[in-house]
Amino acid sequence: MASWRRRHEAKAEAARARLISDLRGRAAVREAESLVGSAWIDGLDRAEQADPTVRHLLERERDAFVRATRRRTAEAERDQHRLAAVVEERARSAWSAWSAPPSG
């Protein structure tokens, strides 16, 4: 029974580690998307100064950038909640493993 519990806990810990890694990766991707979007908008701003006919494109892209920023913010908040829950579960699991009576 104890070996089953250890194996089950090892699998659960591996799943938590994968989820944490995934959430951190998603955060890095969101940050990169934000940087690329900002650079794109900056480039369009400069293009508008050179050619005022791109104003419509610039306005459309700004609106899309604002929507994407809101989406990324909402995703980041959800991911932060998930990360906090996983970290709490990890701590609870470590505590229960530490405080469990020795098997034998």
Side-chain angles (χ1 to χ4, degrees):
M1 185 68 164
S3 65
W4 177 87
R5 189 178 8 240
R6 283 191 301 271
R7 187 170 44 251
H8 177 71
E9 183 53 39
K11 285 183 178 182
E13 179 58 28
R16 287 189 292 266
R18 282 190 306 272
L19 179 57
I20 289 170
S21 177
D22 180 53
L23 293 173
R24 287 180 178 160
R26 288 167 51 101
V29 167
R30 279 192 299 272
E31 185 175 338
E33 288 174 340
S34 180
L35 291 172
V36 168
S38 293
W40 173 245
I41 296 298
D42 289 345
L44 288 175
D45 283 338
R46 286 189 300 278
E48 181 186 24
Q49 291 172 0
D51 181 3
T53 61
V54 299
R55 177 178 297 267
H56 176 68
L57 174 64
L58 179 58
E59 289 173 0
R60 188 182 61 190
E61 290 298 317
R62 278 189 183 137
D63 289 343
F65 182 70
V66 168
R67 285 190 306 276
T69 300
R70 285 187 193 131
R71 179 186 51 80
R72 281 192 297 271
T73 300
E75 284 178 1
E77 289 175 6
R78 284 191 305 270
D79 286 355
Q80 283 297 321
H81 289 293
R82 289 177 68 195
L83 184 59
V86 168
V87 168
E88 182 181 332
E89 181 183 337
R90 182 182 253 182
R92 198 171 42 248
S93 175
W95 173 253
S96 67
W98 180 79
S99 63
S103 60

XYZ file of all heavy atoms in Angstrom:
829
model
N 0.819 -1.193 0.000
C 0.000 0.000 0.000
C 0.867 1.262 0.000
O 0.554 2.208 -0.690
C -0.930 -0.039 1.222
C -1.899 1.081 1.266
S -3.079 0.893 -0.053
C -4.332 1.971 0.474
N 1.945 1.231 0.763
C 2.815 2.406 0.834
C 3.491 2.672 -0.507
O 3.658 3.827 -0.902
C 3.862 2.230 1.932
N 3.875 1.599 -1.212
C 4.524 1.807 -2.505
C 3.533 2.401 -3.511
O 3.913 3.238 -4.328
C 5.127 0.510 -3.040
O 4.113 -0.429 -3.305
N 2.280 1.977 -3.443
C 1.267 2.553 -4.325
C 1.118 4.044 -4.035
O 1.047 4.866 -4.946
C -0.081 1.852 -4.127
C -1.160 2.481 -4.963
C -1.465 2.189 -6.244
C -2.028 3.550 -4.577
N -2.482 2.998 -6.692
C -2.847 3.846 -5.673
C -2.206 4.271 -3.404
C -3.820 4.833 -5.639
C -3.163 5.258 -3.383
C -3.961 5.536 -4.492
N 1.081 4.404 -2.751
C 0.925 5.799 -2.352
C 2.116 6.641 -2.844
O 1.949 7.732 -3.361
C 0.792 5.907 -0.841
C 0.422 7.284 -0.378
C 0.232 7.427 1.129
N 0.606 6.278 1.901
C -0.224 5.597 2.691
N -1.471 5.963 2.799
N 0.196 4.553 3.380
N 3.333 6.091 -2.702
C 4.518 6.817 -3.172
C 4.480 6.989 -4.692
O 4.796 8.051 -5.210
C 5.797 6.089 -2.750
C 6.149 6.295 -1.286
C 7.536 5.778 -0.984
N 7.710 4.365 -1.276
C 7.475 3.364 -0.432
N 7.057 3.637 0.787
N 7.668 2.121 -0.788
N 4.105 5.934 -5.403
C 4.031 6.004 -6.860
C 2.960 7.008 -7.284
O 3.178 7.820 -8.185
C 3.738 4.621 -7.437
C 3.811 4.560 -8.947
C 3.758 3.158 -9.539
N 2.753 2.284 -8.961
C 3.035 1.238 -8.165
N 4.275 0.937 -7.870
N 2.073 0.486 -7.672
N 1.814 6.964 -6.633
C 0.733 7.898 -6.934
C 1.186 9.332 -6.665
O 0.941 10.236 -7.488
C -0.503 7.557 -6.095
C -1.639 8.501 -6.292
N -2.376 8.530 -7.450
C -2.145 9.471 -5.489
C -3.297 9.477 -7.346
N -3.171 10.056 -6.162
N 1.847 9.565 -5.554
C 2.325 10.914 -5.223
C 3.400 11.359 -6.208
O 3.439 12.532 -6.596
C 2.853 10.963 -3.789
C 3.285 12.347 -3.353
C 2.224 13.414 -3.555
O 1.025 13.147 -3.329
O 2.596 14.536 -3.958
N 4.263 10.463 -6.648
C 5.295 10.815 -7.623
C 4.654 11.229 -8.953
O 5.083 12.204 -9.582
C 6.254 9.650 -7.830
N 3.616 10.514 -9.366
C 2.912 10.879 -10.596
C 2.221 12.227 -10.443
O 2.252 13.050 -11.352
C 1.875 9.814 -10.957
C 2.460 8.560 -11.538
C 1.353 7.600 -11.925
C 1.911 6.352 -12.555
N 0.832 5.445 -12.984
N 1.603 12.442 -9.292
C 0.928 13.720 -9.052
C 1.939 14.866 -9.037
O 1.684 15.932 -9.603
C 0.152 13.672 -7.737
N 3.091 14.642 -8.421
C 4.122 15.684 -8.377
C 4.647 15.976 -9.776
O 4.873 17.131 -10.132
C 5.270 15.267 -7.453
C 6.390 16.271 -7.380
C 5.961 17.650 -6.918
O 4.979 17.764 -6.161
O 6.614 18.629 -7.329
N 4.826 14.949 -10.592
C 5.276 15.155 -11.973
C 4.238 15.954 -12.759
O 4.595 16.846 -13.536
C 5.547 13.811 -12.646
N 2.970 15.672 -12.539
C 1.902 16.415 -13.217
C 1.900 17.879 -12.769
O 1.740 18.790 -13.591
C 0.549 15.778 -12.946
N 2.100 18.113 -11.475
C 2.155 19.490 -10.978
C 3.354 20.221 -11.577
O 3.240 21.384 -11.971
C 2.225 19.506 -9.451
C 0.904 19.134 -8.776
C 0.951 19.365 -7.287
N 1.843 18.467 -6.595
C 1.494 17.323 -6.020
N 0.240 16.929 -6.066
N 2.380 16.581 -5.394
N 4.493 19.561 -11.658
C 5.690 20.180 -12.232
C 5.463 20.531 -13.708
O 5.870 21.607 -14.168
C 6.895 19.257 -12.078
N 4.805 19.633 -14.454
C 4.509 19.918 -15.859
C 3.579 21.113 -15.983
O 3.759 21.975 -16.851
C 3.894 18.701 -16.548
C 4.890 17.633 -16.933
C 4.270 16.569 -17.832
N 3.070 15.958 -17.269
C 3.061 14.900 -16.468
N 4.193 14.327 -16.114
N 1.929 14.403 -16.016
N 2.569 21.185 -15.121
C 1.618 22.293 -15.168
C 2.327 23.614 -14.846
O 2.112 24.627 -15.528
C 0.464 22.060 -14.197
C -0.594 23.161 -14.136
C -1.204 23.417 -15.512
C -1.664 22.805 -13.130
N 3.174 23.614 -13.846
C 3.918 24.831 -13.497
C 4.784 25.259 -14.666
O 4.824 26.434 -15.037
C 4.748 24.610 -12.217
C 3.818 24.529 -11.005
C 5.787 25.719 -12.033
C 4.497 24.070 -9.726
N 5.462 24.310 -15.289
C 6.299 24.625 -16.447
C 5.453 25.190 -17.585
O 5.834 26.173 -18.233
C 7.036 23.369 -16.902
O 7.782 23.621 -18.053
N 4.303 24.588 -17.828
C 3.403 25.057 -18.884
C 2.916 26.477 -18.597
O 2.911 27.330 -19.494
C 2.210 24.104 -19.011
C 1.241 24.530 -20.092
O 1.689 24.741 -21.236
O 0.033 24.650 -19.785
N 2.536 26.740 -17.357
C 2.043 28.074 -17.007
C 3.149 29.123 -17.152
O 2.898 30.231 -17.624
C 1.487 28.075 -15.587
C 0.207 27.248 -15.393
C -0.169 27.186 -13.920
C -0.935 27.787 -16.227
N 4.353 28.775 -16.777
C 5.474 29.708 -16.948
C 5.761 29.940 -18.435
O 6.061 31.066 -18.847
C 6.713 29.181 -16.241
C 6.600 29.291 -14.743
C 7.830 28.776 -14.054
N 7.702 28.931 -12.616
C 8.414 28.261 -11.746
N 9.320 27.390 -12.143
N 8.242 28.465 -10.456
N 5.668 28.898 -19.229
C 5.861 29.039 -20.668
C 4.800 29.930 -21.285
O 5.097 30.774 -22.140
N 3.563 29.756 -20.849
C 2.474 30.598 -21.362
C 2.711 32.063 -21.011
O 2.453 32.951 -21.814
C 1.137 30.127 -20.794
C 0.661 28.812 -21.385
C -0.491 28.202 -20.584
N -1.575 29.104 -20.324
C -2.722 29.140 -20.987
N -2.913 28.297 -21.979
N -3.671 29.983 -20.659
N 3.223 32.312 -19.809
C 3.517 33.694 -19.403
C 4.596 34.297 -20.304
O 4.499 35.458 -20.709
C 3.946 33.737 -17.941
N 5.605 33.514 -20.618
C 6.680 34.006 -21.495
C 6.142 34.309 -22.891
O 6.513 35.316 -23.503
C 7.805 32.985 -21.566
N 5.259 33.460 -23.393
C 4.668 33.685 -24.718
C 3.820 34.950 -24.702
O 3.887 35.764 -25.632
C 3.839 32.460 -25.165
C 2.968 32.789 -26.370
C 4.752 31.293 -25.458
N 3.036 35.148 -23.653
C 2.208 36.365 -23.562
C 3.091 37.609 -23.561
O 2.782 38.609 -24.217
C 1.342 36.339 -22.302
C 0.087 35.523 -22.433
C -0.850 35.771 -21.274
N -0.277 35.415 -19.995
C -0.335 34.197 -19.447
N -0.943 33.227 -20.089
N 0.207 33.962 -18.285
N 4.188 37.553 -22.827
C 5.096 38.696 -22.774
C 5.684 38.982 -24.162
O 5.748 40.137 -24.594
C 6.212 38.440 -21.770
C 7.117 39.620 -21.563
C 8.144 39.384 -20.474
O 7.927 38.525 -19.612
O 9.171 40.078 -20.509
N 6.083 37.927 -24.859
C 6.639 38.102 -26.204
C 5.587 38.669 -27.156
O 5.885 39.561 -27.960
C 7.183 36.776 -26.727
N 4.360 38.160 -27.079
C 3.291 38.680 -27.926
C 3.063 40.165 -27.673
O 2.839 40.943 -28.606
C 1.985 37.920 -27.678
C 1.954 36.521 -28.217
C 0.695 35.771 -27.814
O 0.024 36.162 -26.830
O 0.389 34.767 -28.473
N 3.109 40.550 -26.422
C 2.910 41.948 -26.070
C 4.014 42.829 -26.650
O 3.750 43.901 -27.196
C 2.856 42.097 -24.550
O 2.653 43.443 -24.201
N 5.252 42.362 -26.545
C 6.378 43.122 -27.103
C 6.272 43.262 -28.616
O 6.497 44.345 -29.167
C 7.701 42.463 -26.722
C 8.081 42.532 -25.248
C 9.310 41.680 -24.978
C 8.295 43.963 -24.814
N 5.924 42.177 -29.283
C 5.785 42.210 -30.742
C 4.652 43.150 -31.133
O 4.786 43.958 -32.062
C 5.552 40.789 -31.302
C 5.107 40.831 -32.751
C 6.810 39.957 -31.146
N 3.536 43.062 -30.412
C 2.408 43.948 -30.705
C 2.771 45.406 -30.517
O 2.408 46.264 -31.336
N 3.496 45.706 -29.454
C 3.916 47.096 -29.212
C 4.829 47.588 -30.327
O 4.689 48.724 -30.805
C 4.646 47.200 -27.872
O 3.777 46.944 -26.813
N 5.760 46.746 -30.739
C 6.669 47.133 -31.824
C 5.890 47.352 -33.118
O 6.189 48.278 -33.887
C 7.744 46.060 -32.019
N 4.892 46.510 -33.371
C 4.068 46.642 -34.570
C 3.324 47.979 -34.557
O 3.315 48.719 -35.547
C 3.100 45.469 -34.653
C 2.074 45.541 -35.729
C 0.734 45.639 -35.558
C 2.286 45.492 -37.143
N 0.100 45.665 -36.784
C 1.039 45.579 -37.769
C 3.421 45.402 -37.939
C 0.877 45.571 -39.139
C 3.252 45.386 -39.312
C 2.005 45.471 -39.895
N 2.720 48.316 -33.430
C 1.989 49.582 -33.312
C 2.947 50.758 -33.461
O 2.644 51.751 -34.149
C 1.224 49.669 -31.966
C 0.144 48.586 -31.904
C 0.633 51.053 -31.754
C -0.937 48.689 -32.953
N 4.128 50.668 -32.854
C 5.125 51.745 -33.003
C 5.508 51.924 -34.470
O 5.634 53.051 -34.958
C 6.379 51.444 -32.177
C 6.135 51.572 -30.680
O 5.102 52.150 -30.284
O 6.986 51.079 -29.905
N 5.692 50.820 -35.172
C 6.017 50.890 -36.598
C 4.898 51.522 -37.398
O 5.148 52.322 -38.312
N 3.658 51.192 -37.067
C 2.526 51.808 -37.768
C 2.430 53.302 -37.459
O 2.065 54.096 -38.330
C 1.225 51.096 -37.408
C 1.060 49.699 -38.000
C -0.213 49.056 -37.473
C 1.041 49.747 -39.515
N 2.744 53.670 -36.221
C 2.755 55.104 -35.874
C 3.751 55.856 -36.753
O 3.449 56.929 -37.275
C 3.125 55.307 -34.399
C 1.978 54.997 -33.455
O 0.809 55.021 -33.892
O 2.264 54.737 -32.265
N 4.932 55.281 -36.910
C 5.945 55.918 -37.759
C 5.485 55.940 -39.221
O 5.699 56.924 -39.928
C 7.288 55.188 -37.623
C 7.992 55.483 -36.303
C 9.400 54.950 -36.274
N 9.504 53.513 -36.443
C 9.339 52.620 -35.464
N 9.065 53.029 -34.241
N 9.454 51.336 -35.705
N 4.840 54.881 -39.658
C 4.354 54.825 -41.042
C 3.278 55.881 -41.274
O 3.224 56.501 -42.345
C 3.809 53.439 -41.358
N 2.436 56.111 -40.264
C 1.379 57.120 -40.410
C 1.982 58.508 -40.574
O 1.450 59.341 -41.327
C 0.448 57.098 -39.204
C -0.688 58.105 -39.328
C -1.533 58.193 -38.089
O -1.050 57.853 -36.998
O -2.692 58.625 -38.224
N 3.083 58.752 -39.896
C 3.739 60.066 -40.035
C 4.250 60.245 -41.461
O 4.215 61.350 -42.003
C 4.870 60.200 -39.034
C 4.375 60.298 -37.600
C 5.490 60.248 -36.582
O 6.661 60.138 -36.935
N 5.123 60.310 -35.314
N 4.711 59.172 -42.059
C 5.223 59.249 -43.432
C 4.088 59.243 -44.454
O 4.190 59.888 -45.499
C 6.172 58.081 -43.697
N 3.000 58.504 -44.149
C 1.899 58.370 -45.106
C 0.576 58.355 -44.337
O 0.181 57.321 -43.795
C 2.065 57.067 -45.901
C 0.976 56.874 -46.938
O 0.120 57.765 -47.099
O 0.983 55.813 -47.591
N -0.127 59.481 -44.283
C -1.369 59.566 -43.507
C -2.474 58.621 -43.983
O -3.460 58.420 -43.272
C -1.802 61.021 -43.671
C -0.608 61.756 -44.159
C 0.250 60.748 -44.861
N -2.347 58.012 -45.124
C -3.402 57.120 -45.622
C -3.456 55.808 -44.844
O -4.419 55.048 -45.001
C -3.210 56.816 -47.120
O -1.955 56.163 -47.307
C -3.272 58.095 -47.946
N -2.484 55.520 -44.015
C -2.504 54.271 -43.245
C -3.252 54.427 -41.918
O -3.292 53.509 -41.118
C -1.076 53.717 -42.985
C -0.373 53.395 -44.276
C -0.275 54.648 -42.113
N -3.879 55.592 -41.722
C -4.595 55.855 -40.461
C -5.636 54.775 -40.150
O -5.741 54.315 -39.019
C -5.256 57.223 -40.495
C -6.073 57.526 -39.241
C -6.655 58.915 -39.309
N -5.590 59.901 -39.343
C -5.082 60.500 -38.265
N -5.551 60.186 -37.091
N -4.134 61.392 -38.384
N -6.408 54.375 -41.148
C -7.438 53.352 -40.927
C -6.806 52.046 -40.449
O -7.294 51.425 -39.497
C -8.238 53.118 -42.213
C -9.247 52.027 -42.089
N -10.361 52.148 -41.290
C -9.290 50.782 -42.620
C -11.052 51.025 -41.355
N -10.422 50.175 -42.159
N -5.733 51.638 -41.098
C -5.029 50.418 -40.678
C -4.512 50.565 -39.260
O -4.645 49.652 -38.436
C -3.869 50.117 -41.641
C -2.960 48.956 -41.265
C -3.738 47.648 -41.288
C -1.779 48.889 -42.205
N -3.948 51.693 -38.939
C -3.411 51.942 -37.610
C -4.515 51.873 -36.557
O -4.348 51.232 -35.509
C -2.716 53.298 -37.568
C -2.107 53.715 -36.227
C -1.081 52.700 -35.764
C -1.484 55.092 -36.341
N -5.641 52.491 -36.814
C -6.754 52.458 -35.858
C -7.258 51.036 -35.650
O -7.516 50.612 -34.519
C -7.882 53.371 -36.334
C -7.540 54.834 -36.233
C -8.583 55.738 -36.866
O -9.598 55.224 -37.392
O -8.373 56.962 -36.839
N -7.380 50.286 -36.735
C -7.830 48.903 -36.629
C -6.839 48.071 -35.812
O -7.224 47.279 -34.951
C -8.007 48.307 -38.025
C -8.659 46.939 -38.014
C -8.762 46.377 -39.385
N -7.390 46.233 -39.910
C -7.089 45.940 -41.143
N -8.043 45.756 -42.032
N -5.852 45.817 -41.534
N -5.553 48.253 -36.085
C -4.528 47.497 -35.360
C -4.456 47.895 -33.895
O -4.233 47.048 -33.034
C -3.158 47.669 -36.031
C -3.059 46.971 -37.371
C -3.242 45.466 -37.263
O -2.690 44.846 -36.331
O -3.946 44.899 -38.109
N -4.654 49.161 -33.602
C -4.677 49.593 -32.198
C -5.829 48.933 -31.455
O -5.676 48.478 -30.326
C -4.803 51.109 -32.106
C -3.517 51.824 -32.271
C -3.691 53.304 -31.959
N -2.450 54.021 -32.194
C -2.365 55.184 -32.786
N -3.458 55.787 -33.230
N -1.204 55.774 -32.951
N -7.002 48.902 -32.096
C -8.155 48.245 -31.481
C -7.872 46.764 -31.239
O -8.194 46.224 -30.176
C -9.403 48.401 -32.346
C -9.938 49.822 -32.358
O -9.553 50.617 -31.474
O -10.735 50.139 -33.273
N -7.278 46.120 -32.228
C -6.942 44.697 -32.079
C -5.920 44.505 -30.970
O -5.997 43.532 -30.196
C -6.406 44.134 -33.397
N -4.965 45.416 -30.865
C -3.948 45.330 -29.816
C -4.582 45.469 -28.436
O -4.248 44.728 -27.508
C -2.877 46.399 -30.032
C -1.761 46.346 -29.032
C -0.844 45.307 -29.050
C -1.623 47.333 -28.081
C 0.186 45.251 -28.132
C -0.600 47.285 -27.161
C 0.309 46.241 -27.184
N -5.521 46.389 -28.294
C -6.218 46.567 -27.010
C -6.988 45.299 -26.649
O -6.930 44.834 -25.501
C -7.152 47.796 -27.066
C -8.089 47.834 -25.873
C -6.334 49.074 -27.148
N -7.690 44.706 -27.626
C -8.430 43.464 -27.359
C -7.477 42.339 -26.964
O -7.745 41.589 -26.029
C -9.258 43.057 -28.577
C -10.500 43.894 -28.776
C -11.419 43.305 -29.836
N -10.782 43.051 -31.117
C -10.621 43.961 -32.077
N -11.058 45.187 -31.911
N -10.041 43.633 -33.217
N -6.364 42.234 -27.675
C -5.385 41.179 -27.370
C -4.765 41.391 -25.989
O -4.536 40.421 -25.251
C -4.296 41.150 -28.437
N -4.544 42.640 -25.630
C -3.993 42.935 -24.307
C -4.973 42.523 -23.218
O -4.578 41.920 -22.212
C -3.645 44.434 -24.190
O -2.675 44.749 -25.188
C -3.103 44.773 -22.825
N -6.248 42.807 -23.424
C -7.267 42.384 -22.447
C -7.325 40.869 -22.344
O -7.433 40.315 -21.246
C -8.636 42.926 -22.851
C -8.795 44.389 -22.593
C -10.233 44.824 -22.861
N -10.301 46.266 -22.912
C -10.892 46.948 -23.861
N -11.506 46.344 -24.841
N -10.905 48.271 -23.825
N -7.261 40.193 -23.488
C -7.287 38.725 -23.487
C -6.077 38.173 -22.740
O -6.205 37.272 -21.908
C -7.309 38.199 -24.922
C -7.323 36.680 -25.018
C -7.188 36.186 -26.457
N -6.064 36.758 -27.188
C -4.795 36.340 -27.081
N -4.474 35.370 -26.267
N -3.847 36.901 -27.799
N -4.898 38.735 -23.020
C -3.685 38.261 -22.340
C -3.761 38.516 -20.839
O -3.330 37.684 -20.040
C -2.449 38.938 -22.940
C -1.992 38.332 -24.240
C -0.623 38.823 -24.644
N -0.575 40.259 -24.890
C -0.827 40.826 -26.065
N -1.141 40.083 -27.110
N -0.759 42.132 -26.200
N -4.320 39.650 -20.459
C -4.461 39.973 -19.039
C -5.391 38.971 -18.351
O -5.088 38.486 -17.259
C -4.981 41.414 -18.860
O -4.049 42.314 -19.461
C -5.151 41.763 -17.399
N -6.500 38.661 -18.993
C -7.440 37.684 -18.419
C -6.790 36.304 -18.324
O -6.943 35.610 -17.309
C -8.710 37.614 -19.266
N -6.061 35.901 -19.364
C -5.354 34.618 -19.319
C -4.330 34.603 -18.194
O -4.198 33.605 -17.481
C -4.625 34.355 -20.640
C -5.496 33.916 -21.775
C -4.695 33.722 -23.057
O -3.456 33.924 -23.052
O -5.309 33.365 -24.071
N -3.614 35.696 -18.046
C -2.586 35.774 -17.000
C -3.213 35.647 -15.616
O -2.671 34.953 -14.750
C -1.819 37.087 -17.114
N -4.353 36.290 -15.420
C -5.044 36.184 -14.125
C -5.490 34.756 -13.860
O -5.305 34.230 -12.750
C -6.224 37.140 -14.070
C -5.811 38.590 -13.965
C -6.985 39.550 -14.043
O -8.156 39.097 -14.069
O -6.723 40.764 -14.078
N -6.071 34.105 -14.872
C -6.492 32.706 -14.687
C -5.290 31.820 -14.394
O -5.345 30.956 -13.509
C -7.223 32.206 -15.936
C -8.632 32.734 -16.068
C -9.414 32.022 -17.158
N -8.778 32.048 -18.458
C -8.956 32.996 -19.376
N -9.762 34.001 -19.122
N -8.349 32.923 -20.538
N -4.206 32.037 -15.133
C -3.010 31.229 -14.919
C -2.410 31.464 -13.540
O -1.902 30.538 -12.913
C -1.965 31.492 -16.008
C -2.333 30.854 -17.339
O -3.353 30.120 -17.398
O -1.609 31.084 -18.321
N -2.466 32.708 -13.057
C -1.954 32.992 -11.713
C -2.762 32.247 -10.657
O -2.198 31.714 -9.702
C -1.980 34.504 -11.430
C -0.875 35.261 -12.093
C 0.496 34.831 -11.588
O 0.696 34.581 -10.413
N 1.437 34.732 -12.504
N -4.074 32.193 -10.844
C -4.917 31.438 -9.904
C -4.577 29.948 -9.953
O -4.493 29.294 -8.912
C -6.404 31.660 -10.203
C -6.880 33.031 -9.852
N -6.951 33.498 -8.570
C -7.290 34.057 -10.637
C -7.393 34.731 -8.558
N -7.612 35.099 -9.816
N -4.402 29.436 -11.162
C -4.044 28.017 -11.304
C -2.688 27.736 -10.671
O -2.516 26.730 -9.978
C -4.017 27.613 -12.779
C -5.386 27.538 -13.413
C -5.313 27.219 -14.871
N -4.846 25.861 -15.089
C -4.418 25.400 -16.252
N -4.396 26.191 -17.310
N -4.019 24.165 -16.376
N -1.721 28.631 -10.903
C -0.389 28.452 -10.339
C -0.444 28.483 -8.813
O 0.181 27.653 -8.153
C 0.558 29.535 -10.863
C 2.013 29.438 -10.432
C 2.622 28.109 -10.869
C 2.809 30.588 -11.002
N -1.194 29.419 -8.248
C -1.325 29.495 -6.791
C -1.946 28.221 -6.240
O -1.503 27.699 -5.203
C -2.159 30.713 -6.405
N -2.953 27.695 -6.933
C -3.595 26.458 -6.477
C -2.628 25.280 -6.535
O -2.591 24.452 -5.621
C -4.835 26.167 -7.323
N -1.825 25.206 -7.590
C -0.870 24.104 -7.728
C 0.211 24.205 -6.662
O 0.589 23.197 -6.056
C -0.243 24.096 -9.140
C 0.944 23.155 -9.220
C -1.274 23.706 -10.174
N 0.695 25.410 -6.413
C 1.725 25.593 -5.386
C 1.169 25.229 -4.019
O 1.844 24.570 -3.220
C 2.264 27.045 -5.419
C 3.111 27.349 -4.210
C 3.051 27.271 -6.698
N -0.073 25.633 -3.750
C -0.699 25.272 -2.472
C -0.867 23.762 -2.359
O -0.586 23.177 -1.313
C -2.057 25.965 -2.353
C -2.759 25.677 -1.039
C -4.109 26.363 -0.952
O -4.279 27.416 -1.582
O -4.979 25.828 -0.238
N -1.311 23.132 -3.435
C -1.469 21.670 -3.428
C -0.122 20.986 -3.205
O -0.020 20.013 -2.470
C -2.078 21.210 -4.741
C -2.303 19.718 -4.820
C -2.846 19.291 -6.176
O -3.435 20.136 -6.876
O -2.657 18.124 -6.524
N 0.912 21.514 -3.843
C 2.262 20.949 -3.698
C 2.720 21.055 -2.243
O 3.273 20.106 -1.686
C 3.219 21.682 -4.621
C 4.613 21.151 -4.596
C 5.497 21.959 -5.498
N 5.813 21.196 -6.683
C 6.599 21.620 -7.648
N 7.115 22.818 -7.597
N 6.865 20.849 -8.673
N 2.480 22.201 -1.632
C 2.878 22.390 -0.232
C 2.078 21.469 0.683
O 2.639 20.855 1.606
C 2.680 23.845 0.169
N 0.782 21.356 0.424
C -0.062 20.475 1.239
C 0.386 19.025 1.095
O 0.455 18.286 2.068
C -1.522 20.649 0.812
C -2.511 20.151 1.812
C -3.952 20.514 1.492
N -4.335 20.370 0.102
C -4.626 21.399 -0.707
N -4.558 22.629 -0.267
N -4.980 21.191 -1.943
N 0.720 18.636 -0.122
C 1.170 17.275 -0.376
C 2.499 16.998 0.325
O 2.698 15.940 0.911
C 1.320 17.047 -1.877
O 1.866 15.789 -2.134
N 3.406 17.970 0.253
C 4.700 17.803 0.919
C 4.509 17.708 2.424
O 5.157 16.899 3.092
C 5.627 18.965 0.570
N 3.608 18.503 2.969
C 3.353 18.467 4.405
C 2.754 17.129 4.815
O 3.172 16.536 5.798
C 2.426 19.610 4.816
C 2.013 19.515 6.258
C 0.803 19.153 6.737
C 2.843 19.750 7.390
N 0.810 19.157 8.098
C 2.060 19.516 8.527
C 4.167 20.124 7.552
C 2.558 19.658 9.824
C 4.654 20.265 8.842
C 3.860 20.029 9.963
N 1.796 16.636 4.029
C 1.163 15.363 4.393
C 2.145 14.212 4.265
O 2.123 13.277 5.049
C -0.096 15.109 3.569
O 0.238 14.914 2.214
N 3.037 14.272 3.287
C 4.056 13.220 3.143
C 5.033 13.277 4.306
O 5.472 12.240 4.817
C 4.792 13.389 1.820
N 5.367 14.480 4.743
C 6.308 14.634 5.828
C 5.700 14.200 7.163
O 6.348 13.605 7.988
C 6.746 16.097 5.912
C 7.723 16.360 7.011
C 9.046 16.099 6.996
C 7.439 16.910 8.287
N 9.614 16.462 8.177
C 8.647 16.962 8.994
C 6.280 17.359 8.897
C 8.726 17.455 10.292
C 6.359 17.849 10.188
C 7.569 17.906 10.859
N 4.407 14.507 7.326
C 3.764 14.217 8.617
C 3.124 12.840 8.672
O 2.604 12.444 9.693
C 2.710 15.272 8.915
O 1.682 15.239 7.950
N 3.172 12.073 7.572
C 2.577 10.745 7.561
C 3.389 9.812 8.444
O 4.624 9.909 8.519
C 2.532 10.193 6.139
N 2.718 8.909 9.106
C 3.457 7.954 9.935
C 4.279 7.023 9.061
O 3.895 6.723 7.925
C 2.361 7.194 10.681
C 1.130 7.383 9.865
C 1.297 8.702 9.145
N 5.427 6.609 9.536
C 6.256 5.707 8.723
C 5.531 4.395 8.488
O 4.829 3.881 9.350
C 7.513 5.516 9.564
C 7.181 5.999 10.920
C 5.988 6.901 10.845
N 5.690 3.902 7.277
C 5.063 2.617 6.955
C 6.076 1.507 7.193
O 7.269 1.687 7.075
C 4.590 2.609 5.511
O 5.690 2.813 4.653
N 5.591 0.391 7.522
C 6.558 -0.663 7.685
C 6.102 -1.777 8.442
O 5.615 -2.519 8.981
